[in-house]
Amino acid sequence: GNSVTQMEGPVTLSEEAFLTINCTYTATGYPSLFWYVQYPGEGLQLLLKATKADDKGSNKGFEATYRKETTSFHLEKGSVQVSDSAVYFCAVDFNTNAGKSTFGDGTTLTVKP
Amino acid sequence: GAVVSQHPSWVICKSGTSVKIECRSLDFQATTMFWYRQFPKQSLMLMATSNEGSKATYEQGVEKDKFLINHASLTLSTLTVTSAHPEDSSFYICSASIYEQYFGPGTRLTVT
C-alpha cells in the first residue's frame, strides 16, 4: 500500500552545518511530494513541493528532488540557521486530484548557534 | 497566496461541554476541507474529509458523533467536539484544498 517513511529525529546541528532529512515513499502511481515546516505553536507551512519525477522544489535555501527511481524526496539545506529550528514533515499526495496528503512522522530540527 | 484561518486559536473548556472550531478559506473557494489532529511531538492524523453540501467522510476510528463536521459553504467548515473530555485535548488543524492543501494555523483545545 501507499506509505511515507521519514527519517527519525531529533536532529541537532550547529549553525551553518549541512542538513539532510530523508523521506521515502511507497506508491503504485505518480504522487505529488511536499515538505512542510511547523514552527512551535503554529500550523503547517508549505516549504516546497514537486509534482513529477526529477522536479526540484526549492525555497528559503531548502531543496528536495523528486527521485522516482529511489522513491525518495530528501530535504537538504547547505547552511542552516538558528531560525530554521522547527519540525519538518514530508507529505505525499497519492492521488494528485484529491488534495489530501499522508504525512511522515515529522523530524524535529534544532540549530544551535 | 491562499489563506486559511481558524478560530479560535486556542480554547479551554470544561469536561462535558462542546466546542466549535471554525475553518475559513479567506480568498478562495474550497469544495473540500480536511480536519487533522496532532498530539504533542507527533504527526498529523487525518480525522475527516469535509465536502461542501454533503456529509463528511470520517477516517477509521474517528467517532463521527463526537466530532461533528459541517461544511456549510465553500469557505467555511466547522468542527464541533461534543461532550469534550480531557483526552480530546489536542491541536486541531484544518486545511482547504484547491489542487493542493493550504493549512490553517491550528486550534489548541484544552479540556479541564
Side-chain angles (χ1 to χ4, degrees), chain A residues 96-110:
Chain A
T96 55
N97 292 323
K100 178 174 72 174
S101 294
T102 298
F103 287 83
D105 290 339
T107 301
T108 300
L109 170 66
T110 301

Side-chain angles (χ1 to χ4, degrees), chain A residues 51-83:
Chain A
T51 57
K52 62 182 186 296
D54 299 325
D55 267 2
K56 176 185 283 188
S58 62
N59 185 25
K60 300 180 181 179
F62 291 90
E63 293 184 339
T65 301
Y66 190 143
R67 303 285 188 196
K68 187 174 183 298
E69 64 277 11
T70 56
T71 61
S72 64
F73 193 55
H74 304 325
L75 181 68
E76 296 181 336
K77 186 172 185 180
S79 176
V80 294
Q81 305 300 313
V82 173
S83 57

Side-chain angles (χ1 to χ4, degrees), chain A residues 6 12 15 20 28 30 40 43-44 52 61 66-68 95 102:
Chain A
Q6 185 175 340
T12 302
E15 207 165 21
T20 299
T28 53
Y30 300 92
L44 270 68
K52 62 182 186 296
Y66 190 143
R67 303 285 188 196
K68 187 174 183 298
N95 178 345
T102 298

Side-chain angles (χ1 to χ4, degrees), chain B residues 5 8-9 15 19 28 32-36 49 59 65 67 71-72 75 81 85 89-91 94 100 104 109:
Chain B
S5 70
S9 56
S15 188
V19 175
F28 66 101
T32 303
M33 291 185 174
F34 302 95
W35 286 97
Y36 293 84
T49 302
E59 297 297 306
D65 293 331
F67 298 100
H71 196 151
T75 60
V81 183
H85 291 286
S89 298
S90 192
F91 194 51
C94 75
E100 67 180 62
L109 169 64

Side-chain angles (χ1 to χ4, degrees), chain B residues 30-78:
Chain B
T31 54
T32 303
M33 291 185 174
F34 302 95
W35 286 97
Y36 293 84
R37 182 173 181 177
Q38 185 181 32
F39 291 101
K41 299 184 186 294
Q42 294 189 25
S43 189
L44 280 71
M45 181 192 78
L46 179 65
M47 299 175 66
T49 302
S50 169
N51 294 299
E52 186 267 339
S54 64
K55 290 184 178 180
T57 301
Y58 290 82
E59 297 297 306
Q60 191 172 10
V62 178
E63 299 177 60
K64 59 181 68 176
D65 293 331
K66 180 166 189 63
F67 298 100
L68 301 180
I69 292 172
N70 182 29
H71 196 151
S73 75
L74 289 172
T75 60
L76 173 65
S77 176
T78 59

